[in-house]
Amino acid sequence: MKRYGIILVGILQTTAASAQVLDQGTLSIRQDGREIGREQFVIRPSRRGEEPGSTISTTARFGPADSGGRDFTAILRRNPGGGIMAFQYDLPATEATRRVLAATSDGRLTIRLLGTQAESARQWRIPAATVLLADSVYALFAAVAEWATPGGAVVTAIYPRTGQRIELTATRRESATNGGHHVDMDGGIRGTMRIDDRGHLQELMLPDAGVRVVRRPR
């Protein structure tokens, strides 16, 4: 298990070191109209010599900016078709689970939970249109937007920390005002995303959780 973690972390750190950037920005995380945190993310292509794909790296901070904040960091590596390759999710020291690792092989997803007192693992067979999400980071929803189609695409969302599996339908509709489009999510997750004409996430609304995530201007 330790060897698995070392290999996976090495792969993710090497990929995240790529200099070329596909998208980056800061998200304001708001609940019931009040900002409760900010999330900084970057999306990069894989480095030369590695299997093609891209990596989403993101860190969300909740609480005071100077001290006492709680950080949640996620790294998701995907292949060119949007399929999951590897995932790492680091949680604050106050959490019993400190790190979540995931990787796919032959259509099966293996998730390992690493904590201060115990470690555990689980494995599932997953469909191609699968995304990994986490409760405290929101840039990962960009992967849902990529699967969306005008007719509605069925997407499986997995929260690796809890093992929750959710089926949702992601429907793309063009915007008549800003040249981008919207993605409507129905089913296990309800919400809407606003995507600009470059394919970048600008806004995410999750009404059931009372959460609105807005991209801050540079």
Side-chain angles (χ1 to χ4, degrees):
M1 185 175 295
K2 291 182 179 179
R3 181 173 180 272
Y4 174 97
I6 292 172
I7 292 173
L8 180 57
V9 172
I11 289 173
L12 293 169
Q13 289 176 341
T14 300
T15 303
S18 175
Q20 185 180 356
V21 173
L22 299 175
D23 185 22
Q24 63 181 344
T26 301
L27 303 174
S28 171
I29 305 169
R30 305 175 185 179
Q31 189 166 46
D32 300 324
R34 179 177 62 89
E35 183 176 273
I36 60 172
R38 291 188 181 181
E39 181 175 351
Q40 292 184 308
F41 73 94
V42 60
I43 303 176
R44 296 184 174 95
S46 298
R47 294 173 54 131
R48 180 180 299 178
E50 296 179 339
E51 187 173 345
S54 63
T55 298
I56 301 175
S57 304
T58 187
T59 297
R61 169 171 280 257
F62 298 84
D66 52 352
S67 63
R70 302 173 70 236
D71 291 349
F72 298 81
T73 299
I75 304 174
L76 173 63
R77 183 178 171 191
R78 302 172 298 162
N79 62 32
I84 300 161
M85 296 176 67
F87 177 77
Q88 178 177 313
Y89 183 41
D90 291 331
L91 296 95
T94 54
E95 302 288 337
T97 298
R98 300 292 300 279
R99 172 170 288 174
V100 180
L101 299 174
T104 57
S105 178
D106 298 326
R108 300 190 72 87
L109 175 70
T110 300
I111 296 174
R112 299 184 184 273
L113 307 181
L114 311 180
T116 55
Q117 302 296 325
E119 299 180 5
S120 62
R122 59 172 69 97
Q123 188 179 79
W124 299 291
R125 183 163 293 282
I126 58 172
T130 298
V131 298
L132 299 183
L133 301 176
D135 288 329
S136 300
V137 293
Y138 296 93
L140 298 177
F141 273 88
V144 178
E146 293 180 6
W147 286 109
T149 64
V154 177
V155 179
T156 298
I158 296 177
Y159 286 80
R161 182 185 178 188
T162 63
Q164 185 180 19
R165 293 167 58 103
I166 298 172
E167 247 189 28
L168 63 99
T169 300
T171 304
R172 172 178 174 144
R173 54 184 173 89
E174 301 304 316
S175 172
T177 56
N178 61 9
H181 62 275
H182 292 82
V183 174
D184 297 322
M185 296 177 290
D186 292 300
I189 298 176
R190 292 195 316 113
T192 302
M193 283 179 275
R194 179 167 57 86
I195 311 296
D196 68 13
D197 56 359
R198 297 173 298 171
H200 297 166
L201 176 65
Q202 298 296 313
E203 184 179 21
L204 166 67
M205 289 178 286
L206 300 170
D208 291 344
V211 171
R212 179 172 178 246
V213 180
V214 182
R215 190 182 189 115
R216 291 176 55 84
R218 292 187 180 181

